[in-house]
Amino acid sequence: MIRSLMIAVAFVTPAWASEDIADQYPQSVLYSKPVEFIPGVYSAIGATAPPTYENSGHNNNLSFIVTGEGVVVVNGGAAFVLAEALHKEIQAITDQPVTLVFNENGQGHAMLGNAYWSEIGVPILAHSDAAAEFEEYGPQILEGMKRYNQDKAEGTFLAGPTETFDDEYVIEMGDFRIEAKYLGPAHSPGDISIWLPNQSLVIAGDMAFHERMLPIFQDTYTADWLETWDNEFEALNATYVIPGHGHPTNMDQVRRYTRDYLLYLRTRIQEHMDAGGDLTEAYYVDQSPYAHLDAFEELATKNAGRVFEQMEFE
C-alpha cells in the first residue's frame, strides 16, 4: 500500500487544485471532506482562493492524526463553525477523542477555530511567536473574518493557545511519534511543521506551497525563509508533504514552488536593482513561469514589491 501511495504522490501536479471551484463538499461548511492520505493521517484540503463567505474561510488545510490513543488536530480553523464541522467528521471516522490541537501559526485560519476547541476542553499548542502574534492582532483578525463570513462567524471568539513552546514539542501517542518543530523564520511568525518521522511525512504548514502562489507579508523575510528551508526543512528528507495550502504532495513539488520561486523572484529583483530600476517598476518583473498558480493575480505584484523593499537593505 505504501508503495502505491508513493507512486501516486510522485505524479501529483498543480492541476489538482483550482481557485475557481467554489465548494467541493456542499453538505458541510468545510470546503472539502477529509481524506486519508496515509494510514491514520487525514486532511480536509482548503480552497486555494482567498477566504470568502462561499468557502467559509476554509482556505487552508485542516489535518488530523488518528493515533490509536486519541486524535491530534493540526490547525484550529478559521471559525467556530469550521472547527465544529471538522470535529463531526472526526467523530464519523473514529470514537477516539481529540486530545490536542496544534496551531500552525498565528493567522486567523489557524487560530480562530480555537474558540470551539477551547469550549470542549481540548489543549491547544502553538509556538510562542505565533501566540504573541495572535494576542496582538487577534481583534483585527476576528473582525476581518466577521466581515467575509457574516452569519458563519457566529460563536467565534478569541481563544489563544493554552500552551506554547519555542523549539520543539514531542509526543508519543499510539502508533505515532509526533514532533512539532519550529525550524526557523519562514512565512509568518511562529510557523511550525509537524514531523512524523516513522511515516516520513511532514505536515509542513506555511513552510511549503505548491498549488497556489505563496504570499510574502511585510514580516516575511525571504532570505531567512530560504536559509530555514536549506538548513532545516530540506534535511527532513520527507517522502510525503501536506502543505499549508493545496493537496498532499512530495518534496520535489514544494521545493519547485516555494524555495525555487523565492530564489527566482530574488534573482529577478536583483537584476532589476542592478539595472537601476526603482520600486514602481519592480512590481512588474517577469514572474510568468509561475502565472499558472492560483492567486497569482492577487499576489505576484505584491510579492515583487516586498522583495524589492527587503533587498534594498540587505
Side-chain angles (χ1 to χ4, degrees):
M1 182 177 181
I2 293 294
R3 177 174 172 78
S4 63
L5 280 168
M6 289 175 68
I7 292 170
V9 170
F11 288 97
V12 172
T13 71
W16 274 39
S18 172
E19 61 185 330
D20 298 326
I21 300 173
D23 191 6
Q24 297 180 359
Y25 195 24
Q27 58 269 54
S28 170
V29 292
L30 291 170
Y31 176 77
S32 69
K33 185 178 177 66
V35 173
E36 188 174 28
F37 179 51
I38 68 169
V41 180
Y42 295 75
S43 194
I45 308 302
T48 52
T52 62
Y53 183 81
E54 288 70 28
N55 62 40
S56 310
H58 182 197
N59 74 328
N60 64 328
N61 295 341
L62 305 178
S63 302
F64 57 92
I65 305 161
V66 181
T67 71
E69 295 179 357
V71 179
V72 175
V73 172
V74 183
N75 270 332
F80 185 103
V81 295
L82 273 178
E84 183 179 41
L86 183 68
H87 195 197
K88 288 179 180 177
E89 296 293 331
I90 293 170
Q91 291 171 319
I93 291 167
T94 179
D95 58 4
Q96 296 172 41
V98 175
T99 57
L100 181 65
V101 173
F102 284 108
N103 295 151
E104 286 181 343
N105 52 45
Q107 296 177 54
H109 54 205
M111 285 200 182
L112 287 175
N114 289 351
Y116 172 79
W117 299 113
S118 65
E119 274 207 347
I120 64 172
V122 178
I124 303 165
L125 190 67
H127 189 269
S128 55
D129 289 348
E133 186 84 353
F134 191 70
E135 184 174 3
E136 182 174 357
Y137 298 107
Q140 299 165 237
I141 293 169
L142 177 59
E143 289 307 308
M145 188 276 289
K146 286 179 176 179
R147 282 194 293 274
Y148 73 74
N149 240 355
Q150 303 169 46
D151 58 297
K152 295 179 185 178
E154 186 176 348
T156 305
F157 57 89
L158 295 177
T162 58
E163 187 177 351
T164 62
F165 70 99
D166 290 326
D167 297 314
E168 184 178 69
Y169 187 97
V170 178
I171 59 173
E172 301 271 0
M173 186 178 293
D175 300 325
F176 290 83
R177 177 179 172 89
I178 301 171
E179 302 178 1
K181 291 179 172 290
Y182 175 69
L183 299 173
H187 174 256
S188 63
D191 277 325
I192 62 171
S193 296
I194 308 300
W195 172 233
L196 308 180
N198 296 335
Q199 289 74 27
S200 191
L201 181 146
V202 61
I203 303 174
D206 284 349
M207 175 65 68
F209 290 74
H210 75 116
E211 289 176 339
R212 58 157 287 183
M213 173 158 278
L214 62 85
I216 297 171
F217 297 152
Q218 285 295 135
D219 53 5
T220 304
Y221 297 103
T222 55
D224 292 346
W225 191 347
L226 284 165
E227 184 176 350
T228 298
W229 185 287
D230 289 341
N231 294 339
E232 302 293 339
F233 186 68
E234 196 74 43
L236 295 175
N237 194 28
T239 303
Y240 311 112
V241 181
I242 298 178
H245 304 262
H247 290 83
T249 185
N250 53 40
M251 285 294 293
D252 286 345
Q253 285 287 344
V254 293
R255 184 186 303 111
R256 178 182 179 188
Y257 291 107
T258 307
R259 178 187 180 274
D260 292 357
Y261 169 68
L262 292 171
L263 285 172
Y264 174 89
L265 182 55
R266 286 175 60 85
T267 300
R268 298 288 82 76
I269 292 296
Q270 187 62 62
E271 291 170 350
H272 176 70
M273 293 171 67
D274 291 346
D278 61 13
L279 175 60
T280 304
E281 298 163 328
Y283 288 109
Y284 303 103
V285 298
D286 177 36
Q287 297 186 59
S288 57
Y290 300 91
H292 62 284
L293 293 175
D294 286 350
F296 177 86
E297 295 297 330
E298 294 89 348
L299 296 173
T301 55
K302 293 176 184 176
N303 287 354
R306 285 177 178 149
V307 169
F308 179 91
E309 292 170 337
Q310 289 173 16
M311 292 182 69
E312 272 191 308
F313 297 98
E314 288 181 0

